[in-house]
Amino acid sequence: MVSVATLSIIKFLATSAINMGSPLSEAKGLVLCALSMVAWSCLSLAAQASDFNKDFDINWGRGRARILDSGQLLTLSLDKDSGSGFQSKNQYLFGKIDMQIKLVPGNSAGTVTSYYLKSDETSWDEIDFEFLGNLSGDPYVMHTNVFTQGKGDREQQFYLWFNPTADFHTYTVLWNPHTTIFSVDNTPVREFRNLESKGVAFPKSQPMRLHSTLWNADDWATRGGLVKTDWTQAPFKASYQSFSAEACVWVSGSSSCGPMGQPAWFTAKMDAGGQAKMKSVQRDYMIYNYCTDTKRFPSGFAPECAIM
């Protein structure tokens, strides 16, 4: 909501412009500029003051998802009867989305904790983090994917280089018209660039909600489905805190992002330092890359594989 003080400033700018003899169009321009700055200011404020009660709806689980600590903590749980999940109230068309997650501890084999952006269209866009449960002592597998117009098959998987169950870690999607960057604790691990000029579809026109679910996938999640979920360990629990969305909110067919006052993330591209960090992670921790799987793609790789 725009404050009375802010509205007064906008009125002052417009009135001053008219009194000084400026054309009405210029006065309108000042108002639009002020409103644009207010919009970005409100978005930044919302990101800093996250409240799961205000930002998300629990949409699955019959009480297995809980919002605690006055909206500062959210937990999902999974038992033999059901998993659970939540989704953002807002839809976004570009943004920098952060969430701190503490994954299922102990023997989590067969479980999957998903954290992703997804549109509502039949030919949907989607940007995925999925965390595949493990036997106690084995590393978690972080699974990433990008869907454009309903087509995925762009999986890259990594071992996490820390224990993601001992504490919260930050998982980030930076999505703008130029690129999509996946990061863990501010370290980039994957980039999917806009290569439409090379014939590669890019998610840029469908607004998406943020979703997260905890569910049973023991037919494939751990060692290709060889290790099944041990239900004696249930309920399994994942925890979330410190959600942040510096983003363009999509409301009634239009974006909150105006042509003026765009923040740094909207035009950001990965610099040389980020590229070096990403290549180091991929060299040391990547365990699967769709761009090198000749058995799965005997007729040739996706066109972006030759460019990335």
Side-chain angles (χ1 to χ4, degrees):
M1 181 179 294
V2 180
S3 69
V4 173
T6 301
L7 289 172
S8 297
I9 292 170
I10 294 170
K11 181 179 179 181
F12 171 78
L13 287 171
T15 303
S16 297
I18 293 170
N19 289 341
M20 292 172 64
S22 299
L24 185 59
S25 60
E26 291 186 16
K28 288 180 179 178
L30 282 169
V31 172
L32 288 173
C33 181
L35 286 171
S36 177
M37 290 185 289
V38 167
W40 284 117
S41 175
C42 290
L43 286 172
S44 298
L45 179 62
Q48 293 168 5
S50 173
D51 181 340
F52 282 104
N53 287 300
K54 296 178 180 178
D55 295 328
F56 292 94
D57 291 318
I58 293 171
N59 60 339
W60 179 41
R62 297 181 181 178
R64 292 173 178 82
R66 300 178 65 198
I67 297 175
L68 307 167
D69 297 346
S70 300
Q72 300 306 297
L73 179 70
L74 189 152
T75 62
L76 296 181
S77 65
L78 164 69
D79 57 38
K80 198 168 186 177
D81 293 325
S82 179
S84 52
F86 63 90
Q87 67 179 26
S88 63
K89 294 179 185 292
N90 286 329
Q91 291 181 296
Y92 308 106
L93 187 59
F94 307 125
K96 181 176 179 290
I97 311 292
D98 296 307
M99 185 79 80
Q100 291 189 356
I101 307 174
K102 182 160 61 173
L103 297 176
V104 176
N107 181 2
S108 57
T111 70
V112 173
T113 305
S114 301
Y115 163 64
Y116 59 102
L117 289 159
K118 185 176 184 294
S119 68
D120 297 332
E121 306 300 324
T122 303
S123 297
W124 71 99
D125 292 342
E126 186 174 339
I127 302 167
D128 285 347
F129 278 107
E130 291 187 309
F131 304 94
L132 313 186
N134 62 352
L135 290 168
S136 297
D138 288 348
Y140 250 87
V141 172
M142 182 176 69
H143 176 103
T144 66
N145 203 354
V146 177
F147 286 76
T148 54
Q149 300 168 19
K151 184 184 183 303
D153 296 334
R154 298 186 177 100
E155 297 91 346
Q156 290 182 349
Q157 294 183 340
F158 306 80
Y159 282 141
L160 290 173
W161 52 94
F162 51 85
N163 181 355
T165 73
D167 204 351
F168 287 91
H169 292 267
T170 303
Y171 303 92
T172 302
V173 173
L174 191 157
W175 168 43
N176 66 31
H178 311 289
T179 190
T180 301
I181 300 172
F182 298 73
S183 298
V184 178
D185 291 335
N186 296 316
T187 297
V189 299
R190 177 178 185 177
E191 181 177 27
F192 185 79
R193 288 185 288 143
N194 186 338
L195 297 172
E196 288 182 308
S197 62
K198 307 295 183 181
V200 179
F202 185 80
K204 70 171 191 179
S205 59
Q206 297 184 30
M208 298 195 254
R209 294 187 194 276
L210 181 65
H211 300 257
S212 190
T213 56
L214 175 57
W215 52 293
N216 179 46
D218 65 3
D219 58 331
W220 66 272
T222 306
R223 298 184 184 176
L226 295 177
V227 182
K228 301 301 183 182
T229 303
D230 181 359
W231 293 111
T232 66
Q233 304 295 313
F236 303 96
K237 186 175 80 170
S239 302
Y240 302 76
Q241 68 178 20
S242 301
F243 165 69
S244 172
E246 299 176 57
C248 303
V249 177
W250 189 261
V251 180
S252 301
S254 62
S255 171
S256 65
C257 296
M260 297 174 288
Q262 292 174 345
W265 65 260
F266 194 86
T267 56
K269 298 179 182 180
M270 195 182 301
D271 60 17
Q275 290 284 349
K277 290 179 181 178
M278 182 180 70
K279 289 178 181 178
S280 177
V281 169
Q282 293 182 349
R283 181 186 66 243
D284 295 338
Y285 299 104
M286 182 183 283
I287 59 172
Y288 178 81
N289 184 358
Y290 73 109
C291 285
T292 60
D293 191 342
T294 55
K295 291 184 179 179
R296 186 178 174 198
F297 302 106
S299 299
F301 300 128
E304 66 267 20
C305 293
I307 305 168
M308 292 191 310

